[in-house]
Amino acid sequence: MTQAAPQPKPGILDIAPYVGGKSAIAGIAEPMKLSSNENMLGAGEKARAAYEAAIRNIHIYPDGRANKLRAAVAETHGLEAERLIFGNGSDEVFALLNQTYLTAGDNIVTGQYGFLAYRISALGCEAEVKLAPEPGYKAEVDALLGEVDERTKIVYVSNPSNPTGSWNSGEEIRRLHEALPAHVLLVIDEAYAEYVTEPDWETAFPLAREANNIVVTRTFSKIHGLGGLRIGFGYAPLPVSEAIDRIRLPFNVSVPGLEAATAALADEAHQKASRELIQTWRPRLTQAIRGFGFTVLPSAGNFILVLFPDEKRSATAANDYLNSKGIIVRQVGGYGIHDGLRITVGTEDQNRAVIDALSEFAAS
């Protein structure tokens, strides 16, 4: 007799799975992958050396408290070590927050174009996702507050935001926090913080130090070039970090990951080179692509979002043309931006190839 297979809880199969940036093009052996906002300089020398040295210890379980990395992060950013949460990428920190604070019928609030990872794990907790409109491709304080109700448990803000590149000023973040009910946790995702040069942007670490309901997250995937090792952290009120430690899996960050991340924090030369690459080429890409008649949104990250509003020169057509030249970028229809392509700022050769290809596409 055939028996029915076990069924997931309601709503799980309705969740659209996260689809990462495309990494291959049929018929092209080594395409330029500019689809995932990775650091095109790779990991720094110190992180690579620490990773290689860690190989001899991969038979040993990692330190479940990440004490070595915990101390290094606390010293680097001037934070209290006991308030740090470490995860398998900052994605896991979001999932742990949702798992800890959301029950069926609760909701999270985030911007219309907020990072998809917030939504996926919230839906997995049987919570509702409320999206605040972003008519200017930027999170708006009043719009976020307008979605908050008595069942809201978490408000997520990407600052800078992926995929739009927009950012919120320190004043805007303070105003948002001041207006939130005390029972609502404000999570500020600063994955791209190290690339920001805009004078009105501020890290939320100082604000979080004095608050009972703010979590600030960072990642080692971007400026440190450790995306493949999956290391992220959150700075939270002590009661939040202690609650999360009750459900966090004990060995969620690997031995090589812990060692490489600790070394990366000390590699100031690599961080400087990575910042300078973006600061040099992000404005050049922006100016050149705008010159071809396309819209490029202001960006504080290591990427730009290009809009292709007309039917003949659409985002799909531009993506296909770039692919034909061996260049992979990111379509962002999953965010509801069907006329946009997100392009990681790459090396000089990669950036020149993008400019040349889009120049040809614009003229076609």
Side-chain angles (χ1 to χ4, degrees), residues 142-158:
D142 292 334
L144 289 166
L145 292 172
E147 297 296 330
V148 174
D149 60 27
E150 67 279 358
R151 293 302 302 268
T152 302
K153 293 296 178 64
I154 306 176
V155 172
Y156 283 99
V157 177
S158 307

Side-chain angles (χ1 to χ4, degrees), residues 4-309:
Q7 295 298 305
K9 64 184 181 182
I12 293 295
L13 297 182
D14 296 327
I15 301 172
Y18 182 81
V19 178
K22 180 178 174 182
S23 60
I25 301 174
I28 297 178
E30 296 184 6
M32 294 182 187
K33 182 173 180 279
L34 301 174
S35 57
S36 297
N37 297 346
E38 294 149 334
N39 185 332
M40 291 297 102
L41 297 183
E45 182 179 343
K46 291 183 179 180
R48 294 196 306 271
Y51 178 90
E52 292 171 359
I55 291 174
R56 59 178 172 266
N57 292 321
I58 59 175
H59 63 294
I60 298 172
Y61 285 112
D63 172 8
R65 286 284 295 166
N67 282 304
K68 185 177 177 180
L69 179 58
R70 182 180 297 273
V73 168
E75 181 179 359
T76 298
H77 295 290
L79 307 175
E80 299 82 11
E82 66 274 12
R83 292 175 56 175
L84 296 172
I85 304 161
F86 289 91
N88 191 265
S90 51
D91 293 3
E92 188 188 22
V93 178
F94 308 141
L96 288 167
L97 288 164
N98 287 341
Q99 188 179 349
T100 302
Y101 290 97
L102 299 177
T103 57
D106 290 336
N107 67 69
I108 69 164
V109 172
T110 191
Q112 177 182 1
Y113 304 122
F115 186 37
L116 294 176
Y118 315 146
R119 315 179 196 181
I120 292 172
S121 59
L123 292 170
C125 296
E126 299 182 77
E128 180 187 1
V129 175
K130 302 181 74 175
L131 300 178
E134 295 184 12
Y137 296 95
K138 172 187 171 180
E140 299 292 345
V141 172
D142 292 334
L144 289 166
L145 292 172
E147 297 296 330
V148 174
D149 60 27
E150 67 279 358
R151 293 302 302 268
T152 302
K153 293 296 178 64
I154 306 176
V155 172
Y156 283 99
V157 177
S158 307
N159 195 28
S161 182
N162 168 36
T164 63
S166 62
W167 66 95
N168 292 98
S169 68
E171 180 182 353
E172 288 172 323
I173 295 297
R174 284 188 290 274
R175 184 162 72 87
L176 173 61
H177 175 245
E178 288 170 1
L180 284 176
H183 75 274
V184 176
L185 197 63
L186 175 59
V187 180
I188 304 164
D189 175 5
E190 295 186 349
Y192 298 93
E194 292 89 352
Y195 291 116
V196 181
T197 57
E198 285 64 29
D200 61 345
W201 183 91
E202 302 171 27
T203 178
F205 283 145
L207 186 63
R209 173 172 288 109
E210 305 302 327
N212 294 322
N213 62 337
I214 296 181
V215 177
V216 182
T217 65
R218 292 281 183 100
T219 181
F220 285 86
S221 297
K222 303 307 176 185
I223 200 163
H224 297 296
L226 301 181
L229 292 182
R230 313 307 304 124
I231 314 280
F233 72 89
Y235 175 60
L238 190 58
V240 174
S241 64
E242 289 179 338
I244 283 178
D245 264 343
R246 284 160 169 74
I247 64 167
R248 178 184 58 82
L249 295 178
F251 306 118
N252 60 329
V253 181
S254 71
V255 168
L258 290 169
E259 293 296 329
T262 303
L265 280 175
D267 196 342
E268 295 180 4
H270 181 66
Q271 295 170 47
K272 182 174 183 289
S274 300
R275 273 192 299 271
E276 288 179 348
L277 177 68
I278 305 307
Q279 291 167 7
T280 298
W281 279 100
R282 187 175 60 200
R284 291 186 185 181
L285 276 172
T286 298
Q287 182 179 15
I289 295 171
R290 284 175 178 169
F292 304 146
F294 306 121
T295 298
V296 183
L297 299 182
S299 175
N302 67 335
F303 59 90
I304 56 173
L305 183 63
V306 186
L307 302 180
F308 301 82

